[in-house]
Amino acid sequence: MPSVETLPIVVATLAFLLAGFVKGVIGLGLPTVSMGLLTLVMAPAKAASLLIVPSFVTNVWQLAAGPSFWRLARRLWPMLAGIILGTLAGTGLLTGSHAGQAAVALGLMLMLYAGLGLTSMRFSVAPAAEWWLGPLIGALTGLATAATGVFAIPAVPYLGALNLDKEDMIQALGLSFTASTIALAAALAAGGAFALGDVGISTAALAPAVLGMAVGGAMRSRFSERTFRRIFFGGLLVLGAHLASRAVI
């Protein structure tokens, strides 16, 4: 059996390996999976600081691999600005007394969206509404990020409602999550939960995350559009249930 000192290292390695694999397959899930598992052995704020470097590198990798960066950046910049402002406005929420309640709510929202996605029901956002809805979605996503360390809701449902194809969706997720990671790092630093010394520890978690993402990405390239959607929403359902159950326990 691992000792008390090595247990966090073992859990962190396995957490980032699994989280990277999930992210490679469906384009998201690294913060959700890693936060849920890491909080078994450490405080949420510490877990969030540990995921900064793996999240940043894997998301930059994800957004750089797609063909439409500048087009998506021009289209999504209002949402990205909202994410940054919302996250910074929520500085300190992750270590607050309501962090557990926020995690439960986030998990339930993920499950609800996944359930709708697995049915025939589809949402769509009109292009004319993106100029005002994007900043609102971004600000709400930022607040959720500051409270839980997870940046999926409501950004993921919003991006899904833009009717992007598979590769554009993956790249848009990478762009959104990169902005969220940078904003989360700034919020944690402002709240005293992320310092220069944490960068080295976070960097050590990069190797298993990248390995898992590479394996997952190789598998994703073999999937059809229909299969991808099933895995995407099925993954959201599992991740939401995991987050909610961990928060309740």
Side-chain angles (χ1 to χ4, degrees):
M1 295 294 290
S3 68
V4 175
E5 291 75 17
T6 59
L7 181 60
I9 299 176
V10 172
V11 172
T13 301
L14 295 177
F16 282 107
L17 185 64
L18 176 60
F21 176 79
V22 172
K23 183 176 180 63
V25 174
I26 65 175
L28 75 165
L30 192 145
T32 309
V33 173
S34 58
M35 284 291 292
L37 295 176
L38 290 173
T39 50
L40 288 169
V41 294
M42 64 185 70
K46 184 63 177 178
S49 68
L50 187 58
L51 69 84
I52 292 298
V53 172
S55 179
F56 178 78
V57 173
T58 55
N59 282 313
V60 170
W61 177 8
Q62 181 173 320
L63 72 87
S68 309
F69 172 78
W70 291 113
R71 176 171 58 81
L72 289 172
R74 287 192 298 269
R75 182 176 181 180
L76 299 176
W77 75 262
M79 184 191 76
L80 302 178
I83 286 174
I84 294 172
L85 293 176
T87 305
L88 295 178
T91 297
L93 289 178
L94 190 61
T95 56
S97 59
H98 300 294
Q101 297 174 10
V104 172
L106 180 60
L108 293 176
M109 284 190 292
L110 277 171
M111 294 172 66
L112 174 62
Y113 175 65
L116 293 174
L118 289 169
T119 67
S120 59
M121 187 177 298
R122 295 289 180 266
F123 298 100
S124 182
V125 173
E130 292 183 33
W131 70 270
W132 65 267
L133 188 56
L136 176 61
I137 294 296
L140 293 175
T141 300
L143 289 173
T145 298
T148 67
V150 178
F151 12 93
I153 292 293
V156 172
Y158 173 76
L159 292 174
L162 297 182
N163 299 313
L164 303 171
D165 64 30
K166 181 173 70 173
E167 294 305 319
D168 278 357
M169 181 65 175
I170 292 293
Q171 191 170 26
L173 288 169
L175 187 59
S176 173
F177 295 163
T178 297
S180 292
T181 302
I182 295 172
L184 177 61
L188 289 172
F194 185 69
L196 187 60
D198 296 316
V199 174
I201 301 175
S202 183
T203 302
L206 179 60
V210 169
L211 176 61
M213 187 176 176
V215 174
M219 295 183 63
R220 174 172 59 86
S221 65
R222 303 176 183 178
F223 297 145
S224 67
E225 186 82 18
R226 183 177 181 182
T227 301
F228 171 79
R229 289 187 64 85
R230 288 178 178 174
I231 293 175
F232 179 82
F233 288 112
L236 280 182
L237 184 63
V238 172
L239 293 174
H242 171 75
L243 180 61
S245 64
R246 278 292 304 124
V248 169
I249 294 172

